[in-house]
Structure formats: C-alpha cells, structure tokens
Amino acid sequence: GRGRLCKPVPSAQFYYMDAFILLSSGQELQLLRYHVDPVRDEIKRYKPRSRYECVFRLSTRGATEVTSLSAVNDFYSHVVLTAGRNRTLQVFDLNTGCSAAVIAEAHSRPIHQICQNKGSSFTTQQFQAYNLFLTTAVGEGVRLWDLRTLRCERSFEGHPNRGYPCRIAFSPCGRFVACGAEDRH
C-alpha cells in the first residue's frame, strides 16, 4: 500500500469470507477493504496498482496494545476477539461497532494467541461448539473459554512453555486441541 501504519501490526487475517483484512495496530483494530491487481504489465511494472482503504477503526478499552486477535473467516461472523498487553480479552461486535464484553485478568501474563473453533467444510459440529475459543500465554497452559458465559471452562496444563510462545489449534471436528511445547512434545 501507499501509506504505513503508525504502529507495528502483530496480528492480521482475512475476514468476512475474504472481503476484508482485519488487523491490529497499537491499541486499535482496523478493517481494510483491499484490491489486489494480479495483471503484470512490463511497461508499467513499477506503478503499484493494488490498493487498500481503511473502512473501519475501533479502539480497545484501556488504551492497551493488542497482542492477538481472532475472527472466523470461513463463514459470516460479526464477532472479533482481541487480547491486550494488560491481560484482558475483549469481544467486539462489528455489527454494532462496539465492545460487547471484557474479560479482565484472563491470564496472569499477556495472551499471545487466541484460537476460535472455526470448524471445517468437511465435518459438521453442533452450533454451540462455535462459541468455544482457546487462549494461551507464556508461562501458563491453555484455557478453554465459552462466549455464552464468558468464563474459563477448562484449563489445560502440564506442557511447558515458560519462555517461548507455543501455538494452539482446534481440530476440524472441534473435539481435540493441539498445542506445542518447549519440551518438543
């Protein structure tokens, strides 16, 4: 793009069935409409033809830097989850353009990944399973949350990640969780 964001971008992803790019920069979320021009013209190859424009900005509560964000892209969803350096989780409703819920002190350290149960196009799940999401922070295990109750339903510990941020994922069927660990297990 032509412009630069004023702060680093720790999280970015496609959103709303690839119609937008959702990213975090500093203490705000941005929704970008984009157009990528794949045509190659040898005469005008130095002129950028791809472009983007910011269509929506939303600041997080508490003026804290966003460390991770998560939104479902495989189907239309208006829910966006963010984690901040102040150890809070925020649930945003992009239909209304505001914060729907805040979970303070979700972990004792800043959360480095949020993972939503996104399902798969090859398997079906119960509708309630899409309300589940995972969080992880360095020095702590994985926590399973429910959007309906905004509570931690279960904590998974026993795999060390004291200094390196390990990643987490739901299985496509939604029954299993995979997590890396520093002990190579």
Side-chain angles (χ1 to χ4, degrees):
R2 283 172 255 132
R4 286 191 175 183
L5 298 168
C6 59
K7 301 218 175 175
V9 179
S11 295
Q13 72 172 67
F14 290 101
Y15 178 64
Y16 212 67
M17 299 290 288
D18 297 338
F20 301 99
I21 295 175
L22 178 68
L23 61 88
S24 63
S25 177
Q27 64 189 24
E28 67 181 13
L29 295 176
Q30 292 188 19
L31 198 61
L32 306 176
R33 183 177 297 134
Y34 66 95
H35 170 73
V36 177
D37 189 4
V39 176
R40 304 208 103 187
D41 185 0
E42 289 300 320
I43 296 172
K44 298 179 182 179
R45 68 177 179 226
Y46 296 112
K47 182 179 177 184
R49 299 170 81 181
S50 299
R51 62 189 179 280
Y52 72 92
E53 65 175 319
C54 183
V55 294
F56 188 72
R57 280 194 168 132
L58 190 61
S59 292
T60 58
R61 185 181 288 178
T64 183
E65 182 180 340
V66 176
T67 58
S68 180
L69 66 83
S70 178
V72 176
N73 185 38
D74 298 337
F75 53 86
Y76 294 114
S77 173
H78 59 278
V79 175
V80 175
L81 305 173
T82 64
R85 281 233 183 268
N86 61 353
R87 304 181 313 269
T88 61
L89 282 168
Q90 283 193 47
V91 181
F92 288 97
D93 182 353
L94 292 191
N95 279 344
T96 61
C98 65
S99 177
V102 176
I103 303 170
E105 306 283 330
H107 283 266
S108 63
R109 290 189 171 177
I111 297 165
H112 67 265
Q113 186 187 2
I114 303 171
C115 180
Q116 286 179 277
N117 183 7
K118 298 175 184 179
S120 170
S121 59
F122 301 107
T123 61
T124 58
Q125 297 183 23
Q126 293 180 351
F127 184 73
Q128 297 85 0
Y130 294 108
N131 291 315
L132 301 176
F133 67 96
L134 300 166
T135 59
T136 185
V138 173
E140 295 187 4
V142 176
R143 293 190 179 171
L144 177 70
W145 299 84
D146 192 336
L147 275 172
R148 296 166 292 185
T149 61
L150 297 175
R151 288 188 327 196
C152 176
E153 299 295 331
R154 185 170 290 163
S155 292
F156 301 99
E157 298 179 8
H159 57 282
N161 63 345
R162 291 175 184 82
Y164 185 76
C166 298
R167 307 294 289 181
I168 52 178
F170 271 105
S171 66
C173 66
R175 292 180 48 209
F176 304 103
V177 172
C179 180
E182 289 177 350
D183 62 356
R184 299 180 298 224
H185 286 91

